[in-house]
Amino acid sequence: MEIKRLRVGGILLPSNVLMAPLAGYTCYPFRMLAYELGAGLCFTEMSSANALKYADKATRRLLFTTSREPVRAVQLLGGDPAVMTQMACSGLLKDFDIIDINMGCPVPNVFKSGEGSALMTDLKRAAAIIRGCKKSGKPVTVKCRTGIQKEHMFAAEFVRMCEDAGADMVTVHGRSRSMMYDGACCYEEIAQAKAAVSIPVIANGGIFSANDAEEMMERTGADGVMIARYALENPFVFSELTQKNRKKTTLQILLEQMELTASCYDETFTIGYMQKLVSYGMKKRRGTKKYKEPMYQCGSLEELREIIIQIFSDDM
Ligand SMILES: Cc1cc2nc3c(=O)[nH]c(=O)nc-3n(C[C@H](O)[C@H](O)[C@H](O)COP(=O)(O)O)c2cc1C
């Protein structure tokens, strides 16, 4: 695919290959890794505006970043325009350059609260949230789906509303809410969304190889792609696409991830996060099944380090 820089509001992104927000994964260390390998923009996992308002400690931890992060984008989840505006403009987000609004989360509890993909059923409220977040003075982006039901998709209409309300970029996950995370990506709907607006449109959903990214670009005409689950399995997909930093091994990046995570968070968090990441990394590796149980039983970083070396030693 053609790699190009992308302008979002006043910010120039280094590439048009984006890392998706992923709850439980896109903490600061993972975002730094994705940037190092060529990602043009990474997001925090979704952070509930309500929880932030009530000073929830765990939610505030999701906002951890440093000035070393190339572009800092936070994703907010919420359905109340007043709370979203208040949080977007609050000092809590002072370190972030871009605010992304989650309008795609399909989870029943979130939907029932009028948040995430439920905003696709209420264009007026969604527009009020975008306008409110824009009061922060920062570029505002939206992540949405192609619709709620598979039989009635309306991505083009929705992104038009986003642009009219002031959004600086939209990412369309090419699945309806009813499809959750499975099923073939709806390229045509993304293509229609791209044709409907002049702000950048990013295509997401079902990219599980560099070739898939190529196909996504060809079939949608989008300005860039966003990769989610496959980047956990193979973060090198960013290097493959952008030709940046191709030399590291899986073992090297996992050990570096562990070190960086331990320097930013406590040991319990670091062990839990690394176990999930290693598990993704093992997915397509033959003969590694036997390590899975002992890896999950590791109680210290030293033990985990040893087992990571065993699993990925053929990488040295
Ligand atoms: C474990 C998991 C966590 C996710 N967390 C978020 C999130 O916090 N915010 C968001 O907008 N999307 C979230 N998503 C959706 C992804 O960003 C992405 O849209 C979806 O996985 C489709 O892309 P893929 O087919 O490349 O995985 C999540 C998906 C998964 C599987």
Side-chain angles (χ1 to χ4, degrees):
M1 65 176 271
E2 189 197 345
I3 299 302
K4 51 185 183 188
R5 305 194 77 181
L6 205 59
R7 188 168 289 283
V8 180
I11 298 176
L12 194 58
L13 307 182
S15 85
N16 54 346
V17 184
L18 277 57
M19 175 65 215
L22 280 171
Y25 293 94
T26 48
C27 52
Y28 171 74
F30 192 85
R31 301 197 303 271
M32 290 301 277
L33 169 65
Y35 277 123
E36 183 189 344
L37 299 178
L41 185 63
C42 304
F43 301 82
T44 66
E45 62 182 271
M46 57 183 176
S47 307
S48 156
N50 273 327
L52 285 178
K53 187 177 169 189
Y54 294 110
D56 178 64
K57 252 190 168 172
T59 309
R60 290 193 174 186
R61 187 165 68 174
L62 303 180
L63 303 182
F64 181 83
T65 179
T66 76
S67 56
R68 286 195 297 279
E69 187 166 359
V71 186
R72 294 174 286 182
V74 60
Q75 189 186 62
L76 281 184
L77 174 80
D80 181 338
V83 178
M84 288 291 275
T85 306
Q86 188 189 344
M87 286 304 107
C89 299
S90 81
L92 279 174
L93 302 194
K94 69 175 183 342
D95 292 336
F96 289 93
D97 308 304
I98 293 177
I99 296 174
D100 186 64
I101 308 171
N102 184 321
M103 298 200 184
C105 182
V107 172
N109 279 347
V110 168
F111 190 80
K112 273 185 222 141
S113 316
E115 303 177 338
S117 60
L119 289 167
M120 293 194 76
T121 66
D122 189 344
L123 270 60
K124 257 182 140 174
R125 198 154 49 89
I129 289 176
I130 296 169
R131 282 195 301 269
C133 289
K134 284 289 286 188
K135 288 185 184 159
S136 64
K138 297 175 183 183
V140 170
T141 61
V142 171
K143 184 159 175 281
C144 65
R145 287 182 173 250
T146 48
I148 303 299
Q149 297 299 333
K150 201 176 175 182
E151 299 71 31
H152 173 59
M153 307 246 211
F154 54 94
E157 181 191 347
F158 193 77
V159 300
R160 225 176 279 129
M161 175 282 295
C162 293
E163 182 175 47
D164 289 347
D168 296 282
M169 180 180 86
V170 183
T171 300
V172 182
H173 175 186
R175 297 184 177 101
S176 63
R177 176 190 180 236
S178 61
M179 293 166 75
M180 301 297 280
Y181 299 102
D182 303 315
C185 177
C186 306
Y187 299 106
E188 185 50 35
E189 298 294 332
I190 302 177
Q192 286 170 10
K194 163 62 193 161
V197 291
S198 51
I199 51 174
V201 172
I202 305 298
N204 164 243
I207 297 176
F208 285 94
S209 67
N211 278 347
D212 289 347
E214 197 85 50
E215 187 180 357
M216 179 67 103
M217 289 295 281
E218 267 168 31
R219 293 182 66 173
T220 63
D223 298 285
V225 293
M226 176 186 276
I227 304 171
R229 289 164 291 182
Y230 184 59
L232 298 176
E233 196 178 311
N234 176 24
F236 294 112
V237 65
F238 294 109
S239 314
E240 282 170 44
L241 288 166
T242 65
Q243 306 302 316
K244 204 177 159 193
N245 278 330
R246 304 196 56 151
K247 296 211 177 81
K248 286 194 175 171
T249 63
T250 304
L251 179 60
Q252 220 174 335
I253 63 170
L254 283 172
L255 294 179
E256 284 175 9
Q257 273 292 282
M258 190 154 91
E259 203 171 307
L260 179 58
T261 311
S263 73
C264 306
Y265 304 90
D266 62 32
E267 186 168 13
T268 310
F269 178 92
T270 305
I271 291 175
Y273 163 66
M274 286 308 300
Q275 284 169 331
K276 289 189 290 184
L277 204 58
V278 169
S279 177
Y280 257 103
M282 283 163 70
K283 258 185 160 181
K284 298 234 164 84
R285 274 175 188 258
R286 283 188 188 176
T288 56
K289 231 178 174 176
K290 60 178 183 285
Y291 294 114
K292 199 151 186 176
E293 214 184 304
M295 194 269 293
Y296 271 107
Q297 280 167 357
C298 283
S300 71
L301 286 174
E302 291 74 47
E303 278 179 65
L304 193 54
R305 189 187 155 81
E306 283 313 307
I307 208 151
I308 290 174
I309 291 171
Q310 280 180 49
I311 300 170
F312 298 94
S313 57
D314 60 342
D315 248 36
M316 285 205 280

